[in-house]
Amino acid sequence: GQNIDQPTEMTATEGAIVQINCTYQTSGFNGLFWYQQHAGEAPTFLSYNVLDGLEEKGRFSSFLSRSKGYSYLLLKELQMKDSASYLCAVRDWRGNTPLVFGKGTRLSVIA
Amino acid sequence: DGGITQSPKYLFRKEGQNVTLSCEQNLNHDAMYWYRQDPGQGLRLIYYSQIVNDFQKGDIAEGYSVSREKKESFPLTVTSAQKNPTAFYLCASSMGPQGGNTEAFFGQGTRLTVV
C-alpha cells in the first residue's frame, strides 16, 4: 500500500523558520516533491528530491532520507504570503506515473 | 505562454445530470492526470493517461469517465453515478519518460457544486 503522512496544521511567526515533516511508505520510490497551494488555487511546484540530502532554493530547502522514508521542507524568513498548504507527494515508479499526495499541511504565518 | 488550462472555473450542476470538465495543455506533455480535492482529504487520483488513446483508472474512478483523443486534451465527465460530486477538480500534466522524473504542472482547477 501507499501511505504519506504530514501534520495537518502548523503555526509560525513572521521572520521565523518552520520545518514541515513528511513520512512515506510506498511500494517503490522514484522521487519526492513538495508543492505549495494557496486556498482555492492550483498547487505550484517547490522542490524535488530523489537522492539523500538537502536541496536549497532561496528561502526554501528540502531534505530527503530514503532509508528512513522521511523528508522535510524548511522555510526560512517566513513572510505572511507563505500562509498556504504544503503538499508532500511521491512518485513510486519511473517516468510519468502519477504522484501520490499526502493530505497537506496548512501553515499559518502570524505577525 | 505554455500552460495547462481548465474551464470553467466554477460549475453548478443539478442532481442527475452529467457534466464535462475541460483540460487543455500546450506543453507538449505526454501524461495527463485528474485529481479530486476535498477538505482534509488531499489530492486523490481519478484517472490518468500516459499516451494518446490510452488511460487508466486511479483510486476513485467510479462515477467518472475520460477520453484522450488528442495529446493536448483530457476532458473529465462527472456522471450521475458519482454519489458526491461536489469538490475541487484539478487537472495536471507531466513530460514522458524521456524527460526524466519531472514534476506535474497543474491547471487552475474547476470547483463543481451540485445544486
Side-chain angles (χ1 to χ4, degrees), chain B residues 54-89:
Chain B
D54 188 45
F55 49 83
Q56 286 79 39
K57 292 182 179 179
D59 301 318
I60 55 166
E62 185 175 351
Y64 300 97
S65 66
V66 293
S67 63
R68 186 86 187 277
E69 297 175 2
K70 297 187 300 182
K71 188 175 185 178
E72 302 79 21
S73 178
F74 191 42
L76 174 74
T77 297
V78 184
T79 75
S80 56
Q82 170 49 233
K83 298 289 182 252
N84 185 21
T86 294
F88 189 45
Y89 290 86

Side-chain angles (χ1 to χ4, degrees), chain B residues 17-101:
Chain B
Q17 286 182 338
N18 292 357
V19 64
T20 298
L21 282 59
S22 170
C23 179
E24 304 276 332
Q25 55 98 1
N26 60 4
L27 299 166
N28 199 31
H29 284 171
D30 288 315
M32 298 186 75
Y33 317 89
W34 275 105
Y35 290 91
R36 169 181 171 142
Q37 188 173 36
D38 297 280
Q41 291 288 329
L43 274 66
R44 293 184 290 167
L45 183 68
I46 304 172
Y47 268 98
Y48 67 101
S49 168
Q50 294 177 301
I51 197 168
V52 175
N53 292 323
D54 188 45
F55 49 83
Q56 286 79 39
K57 292 182 179 179
D59 301 318
I60 55 166
E62 185 175 351
Y64 300 97
S65 66
V66 293
S67 63
R68 186 86 187 277
E69 297 175 2
K70 297 187 300 182
K71 188 175 185 178
E72 302 79 21
S73 178
F74 191 42
L76 174 74
T77 297
V78 184
T79 75
S80 56
Q82 170 49 233
K83 298 289 182 252
N84 185 21
T86 294
F88 189 45
Y89 290 86
L90 286 159
C91 180
S93 69
S94 66
M95 291 178 67
Q98 71 280 3
N101 198 3

Side-chain angles (χ1 to χ4, degrees), chain A residues 64-82:
Chain A
L64 176 67
S65 169
R66 289 173 296 171
S67 62
K68 295 182 180 177
Y70 168 69
S71 174
Y72 67 71
L73 180 70
L74 196 71
L75 291 75
K76 303 175 188 174
E77 301 168 14
L78 279 172
Q79 302 173 11
M80 301 300 282
K81 67 178 182 179
D82 297 328

Side-chain angles (χ1 to χ4, degrees), chain A residues 9-65:
Chain A
E9 292 188 40
M10 298 182 71
T11 301
T13 306
E14 193 176 17
I17 299 173
V18 70
Q19 178 175 312
I20 302 174
N21 296 325
C22 172
T23 57
Y24 64 89
Q25 293 171 309
T26 54
S27 51
F29 179 81
N30 199 35
L32 187 141
F33 299 78
W34 284 96
Y35 283 82
Q36 180 190 60
Q37 185 181 27
H38 286 97
E41 297 182 8
T44 55
F45 170 73
L46 289 177
S47 70
Y48 163 68
N49 296 72
V50 67
L51 300 176
D52 291 351
L54 189 68
E55 293 284 339
E56 297 189 77
K57 228 188 225 186
R59 294 190 299 117
F60 294 76
S61 304
S62 57
F63 172 83
L64 176 67
S65 169

